[in-house]
Amino acid sequence: MAIAPRLTESASAVFAVLAEAGSATRPQLASLAGLSKPTVSSAVAELEGFRLAAHSGTASSGTGRSAAVYRLGPAAGAVLAVDLGPALTRVRGCALDGTLLAEATGSRDDAVDVVRDALFSLPGDAPLRSIVVAVGDVTAEEDARPATAKARPVFDAVAVTLPRGVPVHLENNVNCAALAELHEGAAIGRDTFGYLRIGVGIGLGIVVGGRVLRGANGAAGELARLPYPWDDDLDPRHEALEEYIGARSLLRRAAESWQDGEEPCPRTADQLFALAGEGRAAARAVVDRHAVDVGRLAAAVTAVLDPGLIVLGGSTGSDPQLLAGVRAELERLSWPTEVVSSTVGDLGTVVGAARLAVARGVQTVTEAARTRH
């Protein structure tokens, strides 16, 4: 990993706003950074000297004059985002302005090769500044490995392939997807909402004031730990709620109740929802019941957080066929809360992880200014 140069505070500030803007003129940089034009000129010259900024053309102003346009330079570097999903591994490499530089997808079993493919596709002269790995596990700031044994083998295998000396940050996959919805999906313009993922597992990404709420142990939103069943004659079991609402149990209930003699019982959630969309009564009944269950879970979320908006994601949760039933059950049990389907879809986790990696990469370059003196 290339060591980031020690920048002055003004150059650090200009670099951060240039990364956010993608490209800008000096007057625009002065406005965005809240600095004087002479200070910005000096900062840009400093950044150009370190190849952290580069001239990329000109733009005409309203007065007829043209102004130089700047973008990040080749030494600004790149970041890597890795989504170690339950079935697929998705990897993205991005510049520090968010531009996509490399992309690779493959099975979870091929995670090592997928990461290597993405790394080899990055520009050779772009130093790697940050790596974010999204895992289906509780994560804390100081964690170097996933908290539970089930997530460790694939992470450990991938970790060996990552370049030494580059900061690696673990993040919960649902939290990453919530970030994607906040900046690029169904929650744009909403700084407080809940991202409710329903698929093989369940989870909640909580965004308050534009920031993901992590909790004291990094476990905020771990809905699988909600006590279930909660009844006089039944004792709650560990992660029983996830077992009940997850896709495997959904398919098992479909098999137990299937009465459509003309159509074989679906073996995947995609097949189940496809049949429901075609109007098959047996499939429709199972999907409608699933919507009620998700609506009850949404009511629990609303009772605690009052988020104003719930975004439904995940392999089953994002299907629009659930919306009406979830909304109806939530309205019956709680107060008015908007419910929408995810618009980022399956890419949400890697998109959010890339955004987080970019933020950490920019921090890696600019933090030297805070320790310079």
Side-chain angles (χ1 to χ4, degrees), residues 45-225:
E46 181 181 345
L47 294 174
E48 285 186 295
F50 287 123
R51 299 176 68 238
L52 293 174
H55 182 265
S56 65
T58 58
S60 299
S61 66
T63 62
R65 296 180 178 180
S66 59
V69 177
Y70 296 89
R71 55 173 174 78
L72 295 184
V79 300
L80 196 72
V82 181
D83 170 18
L84 297 179
L88 293 178
T89 298
R90 293 185 172 91
V91 185
R92 284 191 170 192
C94 297
L96 294 195
D97 61 3
T99 301
L100 184 64
L101 301 175
E103 195 170 25
T105 302
S107 71
R108 183 179 176 89
D109 292 338
D110 295 329
V112 170
D113 291 335
V114 175
V115 172
R116 283 176 176 160
D117 287 346
L119 283 170
F120 290 153
S121 298
L122 289 174
D125 61 346
L128 200 57
R129 300 296 187 188
S130 175
I131 299 170
V132 169
V133 181
V135 295
D137 203 349
V138 174
T139 60
E141 290 288 343
E142 66 277 7
D143 284 348
R145 297 175 73 201
T148 59
K150 68 179 181 180
R152 287 176 187 162
V154 65
F155 172 80
D156 288 345
V158 165
V160 174
T161 72
L162 300 177
R164 292 182 179 274
V166 182
V168 177
H169 174 72
L170 293 181
E171 184 55 88
N172 176 266
N173 56 354
V174 180
N175 286 347
C176 288
L179 279 175
E181 297 292 348
L182 171 66
H183 293 286
E184 304 180 37
I188 290 177
R190 306 288 287 268
D191 66 356
T192 298
F193 69 96
Y195 170 78
L196 183 56
R197 173 174 283 183
I198 309 293
V200 175
I202 62 175
L204 177 69
I206 305 167
V207 176
V208 178
R211 298 174 64 88
V212 172
L213 182 65
R214 300 181 55 83
N217 299 296
E222 288 294 311
L223 297 179
R225 299 298 178 89

Side-chain angles (χ1 to χ4, degrees), residues 12-69:
S12 174
V14 170
F15 181 85
V17 298
L18 184 57
E20 178 69 22
S23 64
T25 63
R26 292 187 187 188
Q28 290 171 335
L29 290 171
S31 176
L32 291 169
L35 298 172
S36 68
K37 292 182 180 179
T39 299
V40 166
S41 294
S42 177
V44 168
E46 181 181 345
L47 294 174
E48 285 186 295
F50 287 123
R51 299 176 68 238
L52 293 174
H55 182 265
S56 65
T58 58
S60 299
S61 66
T63 62
R65 296 180 178 180
S66 59
V69 177

Side-chain angles (χ1 to χ4, degrees), residues 198-202 241-254 267-270 272-273 286 290 315-317:
I198 309 293
V200 175
I202 62 175
L241 182 59
E242 180 171 78
E243 179 185 336
Y244 173 73
I245 293 184
R248 294 186 183 93
S249 290
L250 175 65
L251 292 172
R252 186 182 66 249
R253 287 194 294 276
R267 304 187 65 172
T268 68
D270 286 344
L272 174 65
F273 278 85
V286 175
H290 190 52
S315 58
T316 63

